[in-house]
Amino acid sequence: MNVPIELTVNGVRHQAEVEPRMLLVDFLRERLNLSSVHIGCEHGVCGTCTVQMDGKCIRSCITFTPQANGSEVTTAEALADGPQLHPLQDAFWEKQALQCGYCTPGMLMVCEELLRDNPRPSAEEVRERISSNLCRCTGYQFIIEAVMHAAAHYGEGPAAQIAEVTR
Amino acid sequence: VSARTLPATRPLNKERKWVGKSIRRIEDPKFLRGRGNYIDDLRVDGMLHAALVRSPYPHATIKNIDAEEARSVPGVVAVVTGAEALELADPLPDFGPAPEKHTWRCLAAEKVRYVGEGVAAVVATSRYVAEDAADLVTVEYEQLPPVVDPEQALEPGAPLIHEPLQSNVAYERVFTFGDVDRDFAEADVVVADTGDDEDNLVVVLLSKKKSKARCIARVNNPANKTIFESLDPDDPVTVISSTELILDVLNEHVNASKYRSMLETMHLFGKGNMQLVKVAIPAQSPIADKTIAELNLPHNSVVVAIDRPDRDLEIPNGDTRLRAGDSMIVIVKNGAAERIRTLLTTP
């Protein structure tokens, strides 16, 4: 009944046997202890479970683990380089773009993909992109300011750094 | 109505360490790294998982719960119905209007009062098994008329959600501070003078409703001026725009075109790392009776004007001689202001 899968998560290769219906969010949290991947609405609305699969954001709460077979998955744990925070993380810190922190990992993954696609987004483009994710603390304005800050201050930095992680 | 008055502003005479600064929160890095450790992240040995069976109805009596099939699923440790929870769990704290008449329970026992209220909990070795088994719990309901509108809930004869309370009103209180109607009625003039245009608008609207008094409103954002002006064509609100007031004062006092262009230049300071400082020259000042050229000012500063008592502003050149009682207006790079002031005022 279990199916074998093989995938790379944050640069580490994993082989496992899972129930076909096992959600990717549960695999990442329960099997790999990656607790940055949060469970919120459990039906693809709130975005806090967002991870990147082959560089593209997906919602791990509505993705079955076997769908990630053979892919490269990146979670917020991979953003920082050891003690050195990713420029986006640093910008979120500087601009008060979080309070309780529950939406933060999902927001970071979405914003990282945005800056990789578009290193100089307009505030409107940031707003549009993070509309996939809910935040109940900040009112979004500080998150938008943080992304603009990161884009202005780090230029190509975020794109270059994450490229190493996801490749 | 006395509108909120603004405190007098005090000059900020030194850089503050904390007040007015954006401080990085010490707890943020763990959240940013995904190490927040929320309840959902806790792991303990032998931990079990629960899934709730929830009501699909807004208001219904629970006739029967059949959990036998759910209990037989491998991995299921327990199924607890609302009736069983009455025995197992104490009541929840009741914050309703009459705690002595009413008891809150963690699971509905006799009837459900909203869609999604829990009627049974399934405990199992994994969340997947618990949710599977929750689907196998059969609940027999008898539907009751729902109340979905707060105003209808107040009507006599509305279905009661909590019968012991004999009412659907959870809380009722009228907040009264002073005799507002009388104050409005007796007022000759109502002045809305806060730093917030929305507050001022509310004051004006209230006044128009409750009073015949003349209205004077301060408008902080000039774009809002027309809103206030168009409120009451018969008895127009007197609008005072603080921005326009400042511009008027500037227009009145600054006429010569050379000063005007200087003022326009001053607006640019907002963007740059330059600062305009005023240096007073007291009687015993070492620089009194010197020319500006003799001051040997650092190259990142320029004296742009001399303010001389009882005279118009003077645009100086290197030969202009300073006198005690003058003030110099100097453009300096940010941060250098204090250094310049010290340089010019200490012997």
Side-chain angles (χ1 to χ4, degrees), chain A residues 21-23 26 29-30 35-36 38-39 42 77 80 82-85 89-90 92-94 96 98-102 104 108, chain B residues 21-29 31-43 47 49 126-129 131-132:
Chain A
R21 66 172 179 170
M22 185 177 216
L23 296 171
D26 289 328
R29 288 177 56 84
E30 307 297 329
S35 61
S36 81
H38 293 155
I39 301 176
E42 297 186 65
E77 276 89 347
Q84 183 68 44
L85 289 179
Q89 290 171 312
D90 195 62
F92 268 55
W93 192 10
E94 169 68 22
Q96 319 278 340
L98 64 148
Q99 189 181 326
C100 82
Y102 207 74
T104 305
L108 287 170
Chain B
K21 302 262 188 198
S22 178
I23 307 288
R24 286 187 176 217
R25 302 195 310 163
I26 56 170
E27 67 269 42
D28 279 1
F31 294 129
L32 290 159
R33 291 169 180 275
R35 293 181 192 157
N37 211 21
Y38 300 87
I39 298 286
D40 202 21
D41 300 330
L42 298 181
R43 300 282 179 270
M47 189 168 80
H49 297 257
S126 87
R127 193 158 62 88
Y128 288 72
V129 173
E131 287 185 15
D132 282 349

Side-chain angles (χ1 to χ4, degrees), chain B residues 16 23 36 132 151 162 186 204 231-232 275 284 291 326 335:
Chain B
R16 298 193 194 282
I23 307 288
D132 282 349
E151 287 181 10
H162 298 272
E186 291 181 356
V204 170
L231 275 180
D232 186 355
Q275 205 180 339
Q284 307 84 356
T291 64
D326 287 356

Side-chain angles (χ1 to χ4, degrees), chain A:
Chain A
M1 169 160 154
N2 286 355
V3 295
I5 53 155
E6 192 173 337
L7 73 170
T8 304
V9 180
N10 297 340
V12 179
R13 201 125 190 95
H14 292 276
Q15 288 178 319
E17 294 214 342
V18 298
E19 260 191 82
R21 66 172 179 170
M22 185 177 216
L23 296 171
L24 183 58
V25 66
D26 289 328
F27 179 77
L28 296 172
R29 288 177 56 84
E30 307 297 329
R31 300 278 184 95
L32 305 187
N33 255 326
L34 295 170
S35 61
S36 81
V37 193
H38 293 155
I39 301 176
C41 67
E42 297 186 65
H43 58 261
V45 172
C46 78
T48 193
C49 68
T50 302
V51 299
Q52 290 180 4
M53 195 156 95
D54 297 326
K56 293 281 168 207
C57 281
I58 58 151
R59 289 160 195 265
S60 60
C61 80
I62 48 170
T63 304
F64 293 121
T65 309
Q67 288 178 277
N69 191 30
S71 71
E72 309 213 358
V73 172
T74 311
T75 71
E77 276 89 347
L79 288 174
D81 183 7
Q84 183 68 44
L85 289 179
H86 184 279
L88 255 175
Q89 290 171 312
D90 195 62
F92 268 55
W93 192 10
E94 169 68 22
K95 291 292 175 185
Q96 319 278 340
L98 64 148
Q99 189 181 326
C100 82
Y102 207 74
C103 75
T104 305
M107 283 285 182
L108 287 170
M109 298 318 284
V110 165
C111 296
E112 192 284 326
E113 189 192 359
L114 165 65
L115 288 188
R116 196 153 24 89
D117 291 350
N118 180 3
R120 288 278 185 276
S122 68
E124 202 43 54
E125 286 167 325
V126 178
R127 188 179 296 277
E128 171 68 28
R129 183 65 74 98
I130 66 169
S131 66
S132 58
N133 290 46
L134 298 180
C135 170
R136 286 286 173 260
C137 299
T138 64
Y140 305 101
Q141 195 53 41
F142 291 173
I143 296 174
I144 295 164
E145 285 170 17
V147 178
M148 300 302 284
H149 181 77
H153 283 74
Y154 305 105
E156 306 296 320
Q161 287 199 18
I162 193 69
E164 280 175 27
V165 177
T166 48
R167 189 161 37 243

